[in-house]
Amino acid sequence: LVAPPSFDITYIGLNVTKPPFDDILFRQALNYAINKDLIAEQVLLNLVVPAEAILPPGFPGYTGQVAGLGFDPQRAKELLAASKYAGRVPRIVMTMPGSGGAIGLDLTVILQMWEDVLGIEVELQQVETATFLEDLNARDFQAYAGIAWQAEYPDPQDFLDILFHSQSTLNHNAYFNPEVDRLLEQA
């Protein structure tokens, strides 16, 4: 029995208004340092497919033309060295809902990859779920995990507008790009 991919994504959120995530080169370095294929195959036992784009395969609007950033440790190091945080990465706190329990193996592996490839350590902070959601909506976090998005209806708007339009209340990453807003509104 083979189940088709579902229309949801799990991700690590980075507030682009807070250091060091205000630097696109730093964010890209983190992405290049993650071996998504290894996580999907060995950690999650091929039960998931690594995301290459925001829209999942089979979803309306998915073209297959968007290629995500692959695993490239050398490129990750180059981008970190070119970022404004080269050699002086500020303290990073990743917040997630919970009360002191174990974190998922996939997140553990990602954090270890960041440390192994880039020498970046991340402090995990668990908070009660209601507090997490309140602070998430206020964009108080530097970084966060333990969250996913699932399409409620089959339209790209349910991913793109909701998660990336600067005026969306669910744009928890504080992403702002006037051209993206214009294109989303035009669509």
Side-chain angles (χ1 to χ4, degrees), residues 24-152:
I24 190 171
L25 298 178
F26 185 86
R27 296 191 309 266
Q28 289 174 343
L30 293 178
N31 200 316
Y32 277 113
I34 300 172
N35 188 337
K36 296 179 203 126
D37 290 330
L38 179 139
I39 293 169
E41 294 167 11
Q42 296 180 20
V43 176
L44 300 174
L45 306 174
N46 285 318
L47 296 174
V48 299
V49 175
E52 291 295 327
I54 298 301
L55 297 177
F59 199 79
Y62 176 82
T63 64
Q65 296 174 351
V66 175
L69 304 180
F71 178 57
D72 187 338
Q74 185 57 41
R75 182 72 179 133
K77 291 173 186 173
E78 292 168 1
L79 287 165
L80 179 60
S83 79
K84 67 182 179 181
Y85 297 104
R88 52 182 176 83
V89 176
R91 177 176 175 238
I92 297 175
V93 177
M94 183 177 295
T95 308
M96 56 188 302
S99 57
I103 64 169
L105 183 57
D106 53 342
L107 181 57
T108 301
V109 170
I110 289 169
L111 298 180
Q112 190 63 54
M113 288 176 178
W114 286 349
E115 187 172 352
D116 292 346
V117 173
L118 300 170
I120 294 173
E121 294 184 26
V122 176
E123 177 184 332
L124 286 176
Q125 172 186 17
Q126 289 185 316
V127 296
E128 192 273 331
T129 301
T131 301
F132 176 83
L133 294 174
E134 184 178 301
D135 290 347
L136 183 67
N137 289 330
R139 296 180 178 157
D140 283 344
F141 298 137
Q142 181 186 25
Y144 58 91
I147 194 164
W149 185 258
Q150 183 172 17
E152 296 171 340

